[in-house]
Structure formats: C-alpha cells, structure tokens
mmCIF file of all heavy atoms in Angstrom:
data_model
loop_
_atom_site.group_PDB
_atom_site.id
_atom_site.type_symbol
_atom_site.label_atom_id
_atom_site.label_comp_id
_atom_site.label_asym_id
_atom_site.label_seq_id
_atom_site.Cartn_x
_atom_site.Cartn_y
_atom_site.Cartn_z
ATOM 1 N N LYS A 151 -10.644 93.343 111.639
ATOM 2 C CA LYS A 151 -9.206 93.737 111.689
ATOM 3 C C LYS A 151 -8.821 94.081 113.153
ATOM 4 O O LYS A 151 -7.900 93.684 113.641
ATOM 5 C CB LYS A 151 -8.946 94.841 110.725
ATOM 6 C CG LYS A 151 -7.541 95.401 110.748
ATOM 7 C CD LYS A 151 -7.355 96.542 109.790
ATOM 8 C CE LYS A 151 -5.959 97.092 109.817
ATOM 9 N NZ LYS A 151 -5.791 98.248 108.970
ATOM 10 N N HIS A 152 -9.639 95.031 113.700
ATOM 11 C CA HIS A 152 -9.280 95.475 115.058
ATOM 12 C C HIS A 152 -9.392 94.391 116.089
ATOM 13 O O HIS A 152 -8.602 94.279 116.994
ATOM 14 C CB HIS A 152 -10.267 96.662 115.492
ATOM 15 C CG HIS A 152 -9.982 97.909 114.712
ATOM 16 N ND1 HIS A 152 -8.667 98.484 114.672
ATOM 17 C CD2 HIS A 152 -10.754 98.809 114.080
ATOM 18 C CE1 HIS A 152 -8.682 99.581 113.975
ATOM 19 N NE2 HIS A 152 -10.006 99.840 113.599
ATOM 20 N N TYR A 153 -10.387 93.538 115.942
ATOM 21 C CA TYR A 153 -10.522 92.384 116.808
ATOM 22 C C TYR A 153 -9.296 91.471 116.742
ATOM 23 O O TYR A 153 -8.759 90.998 117.773
ATOM 24 C CB TYR A 153 -11.841 91.625 116.396
ATOM 25 C CG TYR A 153 -12.014 90.267 117.106
ATOM 26 C CD1 TYR A 153 -12.122 90.068 118.443
ATOM 27 C CD2 TYR A 153 -12.179 89.142 116.254
ATOM 28 C CE1 TYR A 153 -12.424 88.879 119.014
ATOM 29 C CE2 TYR A 153 -12.395 87.881 116.784
ATOM 30 C CZ TYR A 153 -12.521 87.764 118.145
ATOM 31 O OH TYR A 153 -12.767 86.516 118.710
ATOM 32 N N SER A 154 -8.812 91.196 115.521
ATOM 33 C CA SER A 154 -7.672 90.361 115.275
ATOM 34 C C SER A 154 -6.371 90.972 115.901
ATOM 35 O O SER A 154 -5.459 90.279 116.342
ATOM 36 C CB SER A 154 -7.466 90.043 113.787
ATOM 37 O OG SER A 154 -8.679 89.487 113.288
ATOM 38 N N GLU A 155 -6.256 92.271 115.863
ATOM 39 C CA GLU A 155 -5.064 92.945 116.320
ATOM 40 C C GLU A 155 -4.845 92.726 117.827
ATOM 41 O O GLU A 155 -3.769 92.844 118.355
ATOM 42 C CB GLU A 155 -5.105 94.434 116.000
ATOM 43 C CG GLU A 155 -4.910 94.709 114.509
ATOM 44 C CD GLU A 155 -5.188 96.200 114.211
ATOM 45 O OE1 GLU A 155 -5.729 96.911 115.045
ATOM 46 O OE2 GLU A 155 -4.796 96.598 113.018
ATOM 47 N N ASN A 156 -5.986 92.440 118.513
ATOM 48 C CA ASN A 156 -5.885 92.316 120.014
ATOM 49 C C ASN A 156 -5.808 90.847 120.463
ATOM 50 O O ASN A 156 -5.977 90.591 121.635
ATOM 51 C CB ASN A 156 -7.062 93.027 120.604
ATOM 52 C CG ASN A 156 -7.132 94.503 120.366
ATOM 53 O OD1 ASN A 156 -6.083 95.119 120.507
ATOM 54 N ND2 ASN A 156 -8.257 95.094 120.063
ATOM 55 N N ASN A 157 -5.569 89.930 119.542
ATOM 56 C CA ASN A 157 -5.479 88.503 119.893
ATOM 57 C C ASN A 157 -4.264 87.875 119.212
ATOM 58 O O ASN A 157 -4.221 87.883 117.976
ATOM 59 C CB ASN A 157 -6.768 87.779 119.547
ATOM 60 C CG ASN A 157 -6.754 86.412 120.058
ATOM 61 O OD1 ASN A 157 -5.789 85.606 120.019
ATOM 62 N ND2 ASN A 157 -7.990 85.955 120.579
ATOM 63 N N PRO A 158 -3.299 87.384 119.918
ATOM 64 C CA PRO A 158 -2.086 86.864 119.300
ATOM 65 C C PRO A 158 -2.344 85.630 118.390
ATOM 66 O O PRO A 158 -1.509 85.276 117.547
ATOM 67 C CB PRO A 158 -1.169 86.480 120.480
ATOM 68 C CG PRO A 158 -2.132 86.298 121.649
ATOM 69 C CD PRO A 158 -3.271 87.208 121.411
ATOM 70 N N ASN A 159 -3.468 85.004 118.519
ATOM 71 C CA ASN A 159 -3.764 83.789 117.700
ATOM 72 C C ASN A 159 -4.667 84.095 116.484
ATOM 73 O O ASN A 159 -5.112 83.236 115.770
ATOM 74 C CB ASN A 159 -4.474 82.732 118.594
ATOM 75 C CG ASN A 159 -3.452 81.923 119.394
ATOM 76 O OD1 ASN A 159 -2.269 81.845 119.002
ATOM 77 N ND2 ASN A 159 -3.912 81.416 120.523
ATOM 78 N N LEU A 160 -4.974 85.434 116.269
ATOM 79 C CA LEU A 160 -5.749 85.884 115.163
ATOM 80 C C LEU A 160 -4.998 86.780 114.207
ATOM 81 O O LEU A 160 -4.057 87.534 114.696
ATOM 82 C CB LEU A 160 -7.001 86.622 115.661
ATOM 83 C CG LEU A 160 -7.976 85.847 116.585
ATOM 84 C CD1 LEU A 160 -9.165 86.749 116.915
ATOM 85 C CD2 LEU A 160 -8.436 84.551 115.953
ATOM 86 N N MET A 161 -5.298 86.629 112.961
ATOM 87 C CA MET A 161 -4.677 87.476 111.982
ATOM 88 C C MET A 161 -5.722 88.016 111.001
ATOM 89 O O MET A 161 -6.711 87.347 110.747
ATOM 90 C CB MET A 161 -3.573 86.748 111.179
ATOM 91 C CG MET A 161 -2.387 86.400 111.982
ATOM 92 S SD MET A 161 -1.264 85.192 111.157
ATOM 93 C CE MET A 161 -2.099 83.698 111.618
ATOM 94 N N TYR A 162 -5.456 89.192 110.445
ATOM 95 C CA TYR A 162 -6.354 89.729 109.425
ATOM 96 C C TYR A 162 -5.508 89.928 108.185
ATOM 97 O O TYR A 162 -4.501 90.669 108.167
ATOM 98 C CB TYR A 162 -6.924 91.061 109.877
ATOM 99 C CG TYR A 162 -7.748 91.813 108.772
ATOM 100 C CD1 TYR A 162 -9.039 91.429 108.519
ATOM 101 C CD2 TYR A 162 -7.206 92.929 108.130
ATOM 102 C CE1 TYR A 162 -9.804 92.116 107.551
ATOM 103 C CE2 TYR A 162 -7.938 93.541 107.146
ATOM 104 C CZ TYR A 162 -9.222 93.143 106.834
ATOM 105 O OH TYR A 162 -9.955 93.849 105.921
ATOM 106 N N ILE A 163 -5.859 89.279 107.092
ATOM 107 C CA ILE A 163 -5.149 89.347 105.852
ATOM 108 C C ILE A 163 -5.804 90.380 104.942
ATOM 109 O O ILE A 163 -6.946 90.101 104.367
ATOM 110 C CB ILE A 163 -5.049 87.952 105.138
ATOM 111 C CG1 ILE A 163 -4.319 86.959 106.141
ATOM 112 C CG2 ILE A 163 -4.259 88.128 103.818
ATOM 113 C CD1 ILE A 163 -4.256 85.561 105.557
ATOM 114 N N ASP A 164 -5.216 91.499 104.777
ATOM 115 C CA ASP A 164 -5.874 92.628 104.060
ATOM 116 C C ASP A 164 -5.520 92.534 102.544
ATOM 117 O O ASP A 164 -4.474 92.930 102.155
ATOM 118 C CB ASP A 164 -5.462 93.932 104.609
ATOM 119 C CG ASP A 164 -6.334 95.110 104.106
ATOM 120 O OD1 ASP A 164 -7.153 94.870 103.259
ATOM 121 O OD2 ASP A 164 -6.137 96.199 104.667
ATOM 122 N N ALA A 165 -6.486 92.078 101.752
ATOM 123 C CA ALA A 165 -6.322 92.067 100.333
ATOM 124 C C ALA A 165 -7.327 93.003 99.627
ATOM 125 O O ALA A 165 -7.378 93.080 98.420
ATOM 126 C CB ALA A 165 -6.615 90.649 99.739
ATOM 127 N N PHE A 166 -8.023 93.823 100.390
ATOM 128 C CA PHE A 166 -9.121 94.625 99.910
ATOM 129 C C PHE A 166 -8.684 95.572 98.808
ATOM 130 O O PHE A 166 -9.251 95.611 97.716
ATOM 131 C CB PHE A 166 -9.728 95.389 101.039
ATOM 132 C CG PHE A 166 -11.051 96.064 100.740
ATOM 133 C CD1 PHE A 166 -12.253 95.444 100.825
ATOM 134 C CD2 PHE A 166 -11.009 97.403 100.270
ATOM 135 C CE1 PHE A 166 -13.419 96.042 100.532
ATOM 136 C CE2 PHE A 166 -12.232 98.034 99.984
ATOM 137 C CZ PHE A 166 -13.401 97.371 100.125
ATOM 138 N N ASP A 167 -7.583 96.327 99.010
ATOM 139 C CA ASP A 167 -7.184 97.366 98.069
ATOM 140 C C ASP A 167 -6.668 96.774 96.792
ATOM 141 O O ASP A 167 -6.633 97.401 95.800
ATOM 142 C CB ASP A 167 -6.163 98.272 98.696
ATOM 143 C CG ASP A 167 -6.754 99.225 99.809
ATOM 144 O OD1 ASP A 167 -7.956 99.308 99.877
ATOM 145 O OD2 ASP A 167 -5.916 99.844 100.516
ATOM 146 N N GLU A 168 -6.196 95.522 96.849
ATOM 147 C CA GLU A 168 -5.769 94.859 95.697
ATOM 148 C C GLU A 168 -6.848 94.669 94.653
ATOM 149 O O GLU A 168 -6.537 94.489 93.441
ATOM 150 C CB GLU A 168 -5.140 93.478 95.988
ATOM 151 C CG GLU A 168 -4.018 93.494 97.004
ATOM 152 C CD GLU A 168 -2.652 93.777 96.294
ATOM 153 O OE1 GLU A 168 -2.631 93.796 95.036
ATOM 154 O OE2 GLU A 168 -1.638 93.924 96.996
ATOM 155 N N PHE A 169 -8.085 94.714 95.088
ATOM 156 C CA PHE A 169 -9.218 94.539 94.235
ATOM 157 C C PHE A 169 -9.811 95.812 93.761
ATOM 158 O O PHE A 169 -10.947 95.835 93.205
ATOM 159 C CB PHE A 169 -10.221 93.564 94.792
ATOM 160 C CG PHE A 169 -9.750 92.131 94.926
ATOM 161 C CD1 PHE A 169 -8.969 91.729 95.960
ATOM 162 C CD2 PHE A 169 -9.996 91.245 93.897
ATOM 163 C CE1 PHE A 169 -8.495 90.419 96.084
ATOM 164 C CE2 PHE A 169 -9.557 89.940 93.938
ATOM 165 C CZ PHE A 169 -8.793 89.541 95.066
ATOM 166 N N LEU A 170 -9.161 96.948 93.971
ATOM 167 C CA LEU A 170 -9.642 98.244 93.601
ATOM 168 C C LEU A 170 -8.687 98.777 92.566
ATOM 169 O O LEU A 170 -7.459 98.601 92.594
ATOM 170 C CB LEU A 170 -9.675 99.198 94.792
ATOM 171 C CG LEU A 170 -10.542 98.791 95.969
ATOM 172 C CD1 LEU A 170 -10.410 99.800 97.118
ATOM 173 C CD2 LEU A 170 -12.045 98.600 95.580
ATOM 174 N N ASN A 171 -9.238 99.548 91.632
ATOM 175 C CA ASN A 171 -8.367 100.245 90.653
ATOM 176 C C ASN A 171 -7.849 101.546 91.273
ATOM 177 O O ASN A 171 -8.149 101.916 92.382
ATOM 178 C CB ASN A 171 -9.121 100.457 89.314
ATOM 179 C CG ASN A 171 -10.376 101.352 89.500
ATOM 180 O OD1 ASN A 171 -10.420 102.248 90.354
ATOM 181 N ND2 ASN A 171 -11.309 101.128 88.631
ATOM 182 N N THR A 172 -7.104 102.276 90.440
ATOM 183 C CA THR A 172 -6.455 103.525 90.978
ATOM 184 C C THR A 172 -7.440 104.578 91.274
ATOM 185 O O THR A 172 -7.104 105.507 92.026
ATOM 186 C CB THR A 172 -5.413 104.068 89.888
ATOM 187 O OG1 THR A 172 -6.122 104.285 88.610
ATOM 188 C CG2 THR A 172 -4.283 103.077 89.729
ATOM 189 N N GLU A 173 -8.675 104.474 90.803
ATOM 190 C CA GLU A 173 -9.685 105.481 91.140
ATOM 191 C C GLU A 173 -10.586 104.994 92.315
ATOM 192 O O GLU A 173 -11.562 105.637 92.725
ATOM 193 C CB GLU A 173 -10.573 105.766 89.976
ATOM 194 C CG GLU A 173 -9.994 106.557 88.819
ATOM 195 C CD GLU A 173 -8.994 105.718 87.960
ATOM 196 O OE1 GLU A 173 -9.326 104.562 87.766
ATOM 197 O OE2 GLU A 173 -7.967 106.324 87.650
ATOM 198 N N GLY A 174 -10.197 103.829 92.860
ATOM 199 C CA GLY A 174 -11.007 103.290 93.985
ATOM 200 C C GLY A 174 -12.246 102.508 93.528
ATOM 201 O O GLY A 174 -13.102 102.204 94.343
ATOM 202 N N GLY A 175 -12.330 102.155 92.258
ATOM 203 C CA GLY A 175 -13.434 101.429 91.739
ATOM 204 C C GLY A 175 -13.114 99.944 91.627
ATOM 205 O O GLY A 175 -12.017 99.513 91.987
ATOM 206 N N PRO A 176 -14.081 99.177 91.145
ATOM 207 C CA PRO A 176 -13.850 97.655 91.074
ATOM 208 C C PRO A 176 -12.954 97.316 89.949
ATOM 209 O O PRO A 176 -12.667 98.109 89.006
ATOM 210 C CB PRO A 176 -15.257 97.143 90.800
ATOM 211 C CG PRO A 176 -16.020 98.250 90.159
ATOM 212 C CD PRO A 176 -15.407 99.527 90.719
ATOM 213 N N ARG A 177 -12.470 96.080 89.985
ATOM 214 C CA ARG A 177 -11.532 95.565 88.970
ATOM 215 C C ARG A 177 -12.283 94.285 88.337
ATOM 216 O O ARG A 177 -11.911 93.182 88.721
ATOM 217 C CB ARG A 177 -10.198 95.216 89.518
ATOM 218 C CG ARG A 177 -9.385 96.447 90.002
ATOM 219 C CD ARG A 177 -8.049 96.030 90.487
ATOM 220 N NE ARG A 177 -7.252 95.467 89.380
ATOM 221 C CZ ARG A 177 -6.038 94.863 89.527
ATOM 222 N NH1 ARG A 177 -5.525 94.761 90.741
ATOM 223 N NH2 ARG A 177 -5.376 94.407 88.506
ATOM 224 N N PRO A 178 -13.122 94.433 87.412
ATOM 225 C CA PRO A 178 -13.847 93.300 86.836
ATOM 226 C C PRO A 178 -12.944 92.322 86.156
ATOM 227 O O PRO A 178 -13.283 91.172 85.994
ATOM 228 C CB PRO A 178 -14.817 93.950 85.816
ATOM 229 C CG PRO A 178 -14.310 95.330 85.571
ATOM 230 C CD PRO A 178 -13.594 95.716 86.895
ATOM 231 N N GLU A 179 -11.748 92.741 85.784
ATOM 232 C CA GLU A 179 -10.810 91.838 85.064
ATOM 233 C C GLU A 179 -10.288 90.752 85.959
ATOM 234 O O GLU A 179 -9.668 89.769 85.482
ATOM 235 C CB GLU A 179 -9.605 92.618 84.459
ATOM 236 C CG GLU A 179 -8.608 93.087 85.498
ATOM 237 C CD GLU A 179 -8.902 94.497 86.090
ATOM 238 O OE1 GLU A 179 -10.078 94.902 85.960
ATOM 239 O OE2 GLU A 179 -8.076 95.087 86.672
ATOM 240 N N LEU A 180 -10.584 90.827 87.320
ATOM 241 C CA LEU A 180 -10.121 89.806 88.204
ATOM 242 C C LEU A 180 -11.200 88.774 88.491
ATOM 243 O O LEU A 180 -11.018 87.877 89.325
ATOM 244 C CB LEU A 180 -9.679 90.477 89.576
ATOM 245 C CG LEU A 180 -8.590 91.571 89.510
ATOM 246 C CD1 LEU A 180 -8.324 92.105 90.888
ATOM 247 C CD2 LEU A 180 -7.299 90.905 88.924
ATOM 248 N N PHE A 181 -12.375 88.884 87.842
ATOM 249 C CA PHE A 181 -13.510 88.070 88.091
ATOM 250 C C PHE A 181 -13.980 87.332 86.891
ATOM 251 O O PHE A 181 -13.770 87.811 85.693
ATOM 252 C CB PHE A 181 -14.613 88.856 88.766
ATOM 253 C CG PHE A 181 -14.246 89.476 90.110
ATOM 254 C CD1 PHE A 181 -13.556 90.664 90.193
ATOM 255 C CD2 PHE A 181 -14.609 88.839 91.290
ATOM 256 C CE1 PHE A 181 -13.198 91.231 91.385
ATOM 257 C CE2 PHE A 181 -14.262 89.371 92.503
ATOM 258 C CZ PHE A 181 -13.559 90.533 92.551
ATOM 259 N N VAL A 182 -14.675 86.238 87.056
ATOM 260 C CA VAL A 182 -15.298 85.561 85.878
ATOM 261 C C VAL A 182 -16.535 86.315 85.556
ATOM 262 O O VAL A 182 -16.902 87.396 86.062
ATOM 263 C CB VAL A 182 -15.640 84.129 86.308
ATOM 264 C CG1 VAL A 182 -14.361 83.300 86.613
ATOM 265 C CG2 VAL A 182 -16.634 83.990 87.428
ATOM 266 N N ASP A 183 -17.318 85.774 84.632
ATOM 267 C CA ASP A 183 -18.430 86.542 84.026
ATOM 268 C C ASP A 183 -19.534 86.905 85.007
ATOM 269 O O ASP A 183 -20.275 87.892 84.761
ATOM 270 C CB ASP A 183 -19.067 85.712 82.880
ATOM 271 C CG ASP A 183 -18.207 85.610 81.684
ATOM 272 O OD1 ASP A 183 -17.194 86.469 81.529
ATOM 273 O OD2 ASP A 183 -18.385 84.758 80.783
ATOM 274 N N ASP A 184 -19.708 86.179 86.106
ATOM 275 C CA ASP A 184 -20.677 86.543 87.064
ATOM 276 C C ASP A 184 -20.340 87.777 87.893
ATOM 277 O O ASP A 184 -21.103 88.266 88.740
ATOM 278 C CB ASP A 184 -21.047 85.345 87.957
ATOM 279 C CG ASP A 184 -19.946 84.938 88.836
ATOM 280 O OD1 ASP A 184 -18.863 85.571 88.898
ATOM 281 O OD2 ASP A 184 -20.130 83.877 89.612
ATOM 282 N N ARG A 185 -19.070 88.208 87.775
ATOM 283 C CA ARG A 185 -18.585 89.361 88.440
ATOM 284 C C ARG A 185 -18.594 89.195 89.982
ATOM 285 O O ARG A 185 -18.556 90.207 90.743
ATOM 286 C CB ARG A 185 -19.356 90.676 88.053
ATOM 287 C CG ARG A 185 -19.204 91.050 86.572
ATOM 288 C CD ARG A 185 -20.242 91.925 86.072
ATOM 289 N NE ARG A 185 -20.508 93.130 86.898
ATOM 290 C CZ ARG A 185 -19.790 94.271 86.803
ATOM 291 N NH1 ARG A 185 -18.864 94.407 85.911
ATOM 292 N NH2 ARG A 185 -20.110 95.274 87.591
ATOM 293 N N LEU A 186 -18.615 87.976 90.438
ATOM 294 C CA LEU A 186 -18.653 87.709 91.852
ATOM 295 C C LEU A 186 -17.427 86.764 92.198
ATOM 296 O O LEU A 186 -16.784 86.990 93.257
ATOM 297 C CB LEU A 186 -19.946 86.982 92.226
ATOM 298 C CG LEU A 186 -20.101 86.504 93.654
ATOM 299 C CD1 LEU A 186 -19.936 87.662 94.667
ATOM 300 C CD2 LEU A 186 -21.416 85.725 93.856
ATOM 301 N N HIS A 187 -17.257 85.724 91.404
ATOM 302 C CA HIS A 187 -16.137 84.795 91.758
ATOM 303 C C HIS A 187 -14.885 85.089 90.973
ATOM 304 O O HIS A 187 -14.915 85.562 89.860
ATOM 305 C CB HIS A 187 -16.636 83.341 91.386
ATOM 306 C CG HIS A 187 -17.863 82.951 92.178
ATOM 307 N ND1 HIS A 187 -19.143 83.064 91.703
ATOM 308 C CD2 HIS A 187 -17.987 82.471 93.415
ATOM 309 C CE1 HIS A 187 -19.980 82.628 92.623
ATOM 310 N NE2 HIS A 187 -19.290 82.240 93.681
ATOM 311 N N MET A 188 -13.766 84.924 91.632
ATOM 312 C CA MET A 188 -12.489 85.337 91.067
ATOM 313 C C MET A 188 -12.027 84.390 89.902
ATOM 314 O O MET A 188 -12.348 83.163 89.978
ATOM 315 C CB MET A 188 -11.419 85.377 92.149
ATOM 316 C CG MET A 188 -11.621 86.413 93.205
ATOM 317 S SD MET A 188 -10.261 86.497 94.334
ATOM 318 C CE MET A 188 -10.390 84.917 95.218
ATOM 319 N N ASN A 189 -11.285 84.935 89.001
ATOM 320 C CA ASN A 189 -10.657 84.187 87.973
ATOM 321 C C ASN A 189 -9.185 83.894 88.396
ATOM 322 O O ASN A 189 -8.810 84.343 89.513
ATOM 323 C CB ASN A 189 -10.705 84.860 86.585
ATOM 324 C CG ASN A 189 -10.053 86.231 86.562
ATOM 325 O OD1 ASN A 189 -9.132 86.471 87.338
ATOM 326 N ND2 ASN A 189 -10.498 87.102 85.762
ATOM 327 N N PRO A 190 -8.378 83.230 87.655
ATOM 328 C CA PRO A 190 -6.960 83.023 88.044
ATOM 329 C C PRO A 190 -6.176 84.252 88.422
ATOM 330 O O PRO A 190 -5.340 84.156 89.334
ATOM 331 C CB PRO A 190 -6.357 82.247 86.865
ATOM 332 C CG PRO A 190 -7.504 81.560 86.212
ATOM 333 C CD PRO A 190 -8.659 82.494 86.368
ATOM 334 N N LYS A 191 -6.499 85.370 87.815
ATOM 335 C CA LYS A 191 -5.781 86.649 88.212
ATOM 336 C C LYS A 191 -6.095 87.012 89.608
ATOM 337 O O LYS A 191 -5.274 87.559 90.329
ATOM 338 C CB LYS A 191 -6.134 87.738 87.210
ATOM 339 C CG LYS A 191 -5.624 87.543 85.849
ATOM 340 C CD LYS A 191 -6.057 88.718 84.898
ATOM 341 C CE LYS A 191 -5.595 88.529 83.466
ATOM 342 N NZ LYS A 191 -6.021 89.588 82.608
ATOM 343 N N GLY A 192 -7.335 86.846 90.003
ATOM 344 C CA GLY A 192 -7.728 87.144 91.361
ATOM 345 C C GLY A 192 -7.064 86.233 92.359
ATOM 346 O O GLY A 192 -6.587 86.690 93.457
ATOM 347 N N TYR A 193 -6.932 84.922 92.017
ATOM 348 C CA TYR A 193 -6.352 83.992 92.905
ATOM 349 C C TYR A 193 -4.841 84.213 92.988
ATOM 350 O O TYR A 193 -4.168 83.913 94.035
ATOM 351 C CB TYR A 193 -6.647 82.546 92.498
ATOM 352 C CG TYR A 193 -8.084 82.160 92.938
ATOM 353 C CD1 TYR A 193 -9.042 82.018 92.004
ATOM 354 C CD2 TYR A 193 -8.356 81.947 94.244
ATOM 355 C CE1 TYR A 193 -10.327 81.619 92.319
ATOM 356 C CE2 TYR A 193 -9.657 81.569 94.654
ATOM 357 C CZ TYR A 193 -10.673 81.453 93.639
ATOM 358 O OH TYR A 193 -11.933 81.108 94.001
ATOM 359 N N GLU A 194 -4.267 84.765 91.971
ATOM 360 C CA GLU A 194 -2.801 85.094 92.060
ATOM 361 C C GLU A 194 -2.611 86.182 93.163
ATOM 362 O O GLU A 194 -1.580 86.168 93.847
ATOM 363 C CB GLU A 194 -2.329 85.605 90.690
ATOM 364 C CG GLU A 194 -1.981 84.547 89.718
ATOM 365 C CD GLU A 194 -0.741 83.721 90.199
ATOM 366 O OE1 GLU A 194 0.152 84.324 90.711
ATOM 367 O OE2 GLU A 194 -0.783 82.532 90.020
#
C-alpha cells in the first residue's frame, strides 16, 4: 500500500476489511468449502 501511494502508476485496492466480520474475525460465508477460495458472494 505505501509503495503504491508513492508511484502514480500504481494502485492498492483495499478489500481486506470487507472479508472481516464486525468482531474482526473471518467470514467463512464468503468462501467455498475449502475456506480458501471465494464463492460468488466473495466475488461480488
């Protein structure tokens, strides 16, 4: 993120918090059964 902020041709797309619940924990409902790859809700 910091590296990208200092270069006009770079961007950092911050989606991190979108994958956390209100307590700061994981959101398994956004992933398929392997809990690693996203399901359609994650891609939304």
Side-chain angles (χ1 to χ4, degrees):
K151 177 182 178 181
H152 287 312
Y153 170 60
S154 301
E155 289 172 346
N156 294 318
N157 188 316
N159 282 333
L160 300 181
M161 290 168 278
Y162 174 78
I163 302 177
D164 192 354
F166 191 87
D167 288 349
E168 299 276 354
F169 290 86
L170 303 177
N171 61 31
T172 55
E173 288 76 38
R177 296 183 63 189
E179 73 274 14
L180 301 177
F181 296 84
V182 298
D183 290 343
D184 66 5
R185 294 162 52 89
L186 175 61
H187 298 96
M188 294 184 295
N189 62 27
K191 292 180 181 178
Y193 283 107
E194 277 295 320

